[in-house]
Amino acid sequence: MTYKELKENKEIASYIKRADESLLALGYTEHSFAHVGRVADTASYILETMGFGDHDIELVKIAAYLHDIGNLVNRIDHSQSGAVMAFRLLDHMDMPADDIATIVTAIGNHDEGTGVAVNPIAAALILADKSDVRRTRVRNNDITTFDIHDRVNYSVTDASLKIDESKEHITLTLEIDPQYSSVMDYFEIFLNRMTLCRKAAERLKLQFKLIINGQQLL
């Protein structure tokens, strides 16, 4: 099973689409193909930059593509239910047990509520997922009714996650338009996520930094 084959699988595409429809009904930002594809690309960049091999990079892309399917069941504990769903799907596709174990562990640990960066795949997935903050994830067209998640995502005009040449730091750099959200708004909903990112970076022997509007905050 390869990442390319997974992306071409119509059944899995249905699960991702329907999971995102559930979140749309609940008023959440976009968690569909744009999100999982971006997370896969970012997680791949992290492991490739840190010198991991092709096999690990393939596994993290698969984990990223499947990481939010648990929202099909319920938003609460979606990482754990998603991990169980991924196990069944990948087992039926005859993926080796060791690879399934790695992917399931990463998916089951990607959420800030209960997640832990227990292996490099999980660490890269956490960093990639939590750094996907952008205006295009907002689906509410009425700015006057934005909740705090809408405001924060809509306020981000530019975002990047980069590892420095020394491979000592990984930095999330954001440009925020204060017309829509304050830096305090960002921390109100993202503090736990940034804490998890710091621990994930440490798992990869990196130091996590957060820069907003030119100011280093972490």
Side-chain angles (χ1 to χ4, degrees), residues 33-214:
F33 300 105
H35 172 60
V36 298
R38 189 183 183 103
V39 173
D41 289 343
T42 303
S44 173
Y45 155 76
I46 292 169
L47 291 191
E48 183 177 1
T49 303
M50 295 305 295
F52 285 82
D54 291 343
H55 186 65
D56 287 328
I57 292 170
E58 192 75 4
L59 293 183
V60 83
K61 288 192 291 186
I62 292 172
Y65 195 71
L66 296 174
H67 81 278
D68 270 340
I69 59 173
N71 288 303
L72 183 67
V73 179
N74 197 292
R75 179 61 181 175
I76 298 172
D77 296 330
H78 75 281
S79 57
Q80 288 90 338
S81 54
V84 174
M85 289 177 65
F87 170 82
R88 181 185 181 278
L89 291 166
L90 297 175
D91 185 49
H92 282 212
M93 294 174 182
D94 296 323
M95 177 176 274
D98 282 348
D99 291 346
I100 294 176
T102 299
I103 291 167
V104 166
T105 298
I107 294 172
N109 279 281
H110 84 269
D111 188 62
E112 64 270 16
T114 56
V116 179
V118 294
N119 59 42
I121 307 298
L125 175 57
I126 288 166
L127 287 161
D129 182 39
K130 305 314 171 191
S131 64
D132 186 19
V133 188
R134 51 188 162 84
R135 177 168 292 187
T136 51
R137 293 193 70 183
V138 178
R139 298 188 280 203
N140 182 356
N141 294 319
D142 184 357
I143 294 177
T144 63
T145 62
F146 276 3
D147 64 13
I148 189 170
H149 291 84
D150 291 331
R151 292 199 309 273
V152 166
N153 278 276
Y154 195 82
S155 72
V156 176
T157 58
D158 189 59
S160 67
L161 185 71
K162 298 295 181 184
I163 298 171
D164 64 3
E165 291 185 5
S166 67
K167 298 181 183 179
E168 294 179 353
H169 304 96
I170 183 166
T171 304
L172 175 59
T173 304
L174 302 175
E175 293 294 329
I176 290 179
D177 184 343
Q179 176 182 353
Y180 301 105
S181 175
S182 68
V183 174
M184 284 304 298
D185 281 340
Y186 181 88
F187 271 99
E188 182 178 337
I189 64 171
F190 281 102
L191 181 57
N192 289 340
R193 301 181 193 187
M194 295 301 97
T195 300
L196 184 57
C197 282
R198 177 178 59 80
K199 294 178 179 178
E202 290 172 356
R203 184 66 179 79
L204 294 167
K205 296 181 169 54
L206 291 165
Q207 181 181 346
F208 180 74
K209 291 183 177 182
L210 173 65
I211 297 175
I212 300 180
N213 291 352

